[in-house]
Each structure stands twice: as structure tokens, then as C-alpha cells.
Amino acid sequence: DVLLAQLGDALATSAHQLRSPASAVAVLSKLLLRRLPADDAGGRRLVREMMAQATRMQELLGPLDDMARALPALSAGAADGGAVAASELFSSAALPSPLRGLPSPAPSHGDLVWLQEVLDPLAGALSQMAAARGLRVVRCVDADMPPVRGSEPQLREALMNLLENALKHGRGEAIAVAGSYEEEEEEEE
């Protein structure tokens, strides 16, 4: 019970300490973007990617905040003799890898997410990292690909993990990012 309360405090403090620099990077990036000349396309692209990564970091902190708020209630339940099931604390395989093991907020399964809109900034960020390693990123996503249902932050995190793994462990000259859509044919009865 004391341990859960201490864990909640530690999570809340950590989330706050991480949120402050993430917010600062976002604000400073916006200021830098305003100062860059309009014809500096490369610099502007890099700054936009910094802003996207700062936003991503802030989104990743949400589950930490949720966990920090949930722990006092769990602690109180344990103190009252109520059992705290391990599954309540460690049941979230759908969370981004750094946050697995923490309970997730209720997932949003009804959102329509356009893959191209999520993938473009990620591939742009990856392009800069790949170029530093002598690689290039090739994108080929069908323009007519319909949206998918799910959580945009979770899709973004899953795609970023895949792209980072391709960069870290891939071999060759390029990283291909491809997506296509084929309508399912209805079976005749």
C-alpha cells in the first residue's frame, strides 16, 4: 500500500519532469521555425520533425499520468483488504514499448486514421537519421488507401518502432516503406 503510493508519486514526478523539457522543445522549435527563412526548406523540415517528436513524447507521457492517478485508488483498495490483481497493473501489450506494463487509458477503436498522414512525418524523420548512415528511405503508399480504425498515437508509435528497427537492424542501401490496399473479394455461396 505504501509502495503503490510511492510508485504513484514517482511516476507523477517523472512524468512532470519529462513533460517540461518536451514542452520546451516544442515551444523552442516553433520559435526557430518562425525565424528560419522561407526558402530554407531543409531547415524548416528538420524543425517540423523536431516539433513532431516533441508532440510524440508528450503523448507517451499520458499513460504515466493515468497510472500515477490510478495508483492511489489501487493502494486504498489494497489497504481496505481489496486485492489488487496483477492484471490491473501489468496488462497493456498495446502500449508503446517504453510503457508496456502500465495500464492504458480506454482505447479509441472508433477513430479513422489515415495511414499516409501518420506515416509521412515519421518517414521524414527517419530520412534524416537514415541519411546520416548513408541510407535512403523510399516511400510507396497507395494514394487511394482508405483510413484504418484505431488510435492514431498507438499507430504512430508502432510504425515508429518498426521504422527505427529497420534503421537499426536493416541491411542494404534503402529502407522501403510501402502500403497498399486490395478490396476483399466476396465469396460466392
Side-chain angles (χ1 to χ4, degrees), residues 36 79 155:
L36 285 174
L155 177 61

Side-chain angles (χ1 to χ4, degrees), residues 88-133:
E88 291 180 57
L89 293 174
F90 306 104
S91 65
S92 184
L95 280 175
S97 57
L99 301 177
R100 284 198 183 111
L102 301 177
S104 66
S108 174
H109 296 290
D111 296 339
L112 289 177
V113 181
W114 294 92
L115 181 63
Q116 190 77 26
E117 291 178 9
V118 174
L119 190 56
D120 280 347
L122 297 178
L126 182 72
S127 293
Q128 299 300 318
M129 293 183 276
R133 294 180 176 202

Side-chain angles (χ1 to χ4, degrees), residues 17-32 50-51 54 57-58:
Q17 289 175 345
L18 290 170
R19 191 175 312 286
S20 295
S23 296
V25 168
V27 169
L28 293 172
S29 297
K30 288 177 186 176
L31 291 173
L32 181 59
M50 288 170 49
M51 292 166 58
M57 180 182 267
Q58 290 170 333

Side-chain angles (χ1 to χ4, degrees), residues 127-145:
S127 293
Q128 299 300 318
M129 293 183 276
R133 294 180 176 202
L135 299 170
R136 59 191 172 86
V137 175
V138 179
R139 288 181 260 183
C140 183
V141 177
D142 287 352
D144 62 346
M145 182 174 274

Side-chain angles (χ1 to χ4, degrees), residues 35-82:
R35 291 183 179 188
L36 285 174
D39 62 345
D40 186 357
R44 296 178 76 76
R45 184 174 51 252
L46 283 173
V47 172
R48 280 192 203 97
E49 289 166 11
M50 288 170 49
M51 292 166 58
Q53 293 302 317
T55 299
R56 177 179 170 223
M57 180 182 267
Q58 290 170 333
E59 289 171 351
L60 290 172
L61 293 171
L64 286 178
D65 289 331
D66 295 340
M67 180 69 165
R69 283 190 294 273
L71 283 174
L74 292 174
S75 176
D80 294 341

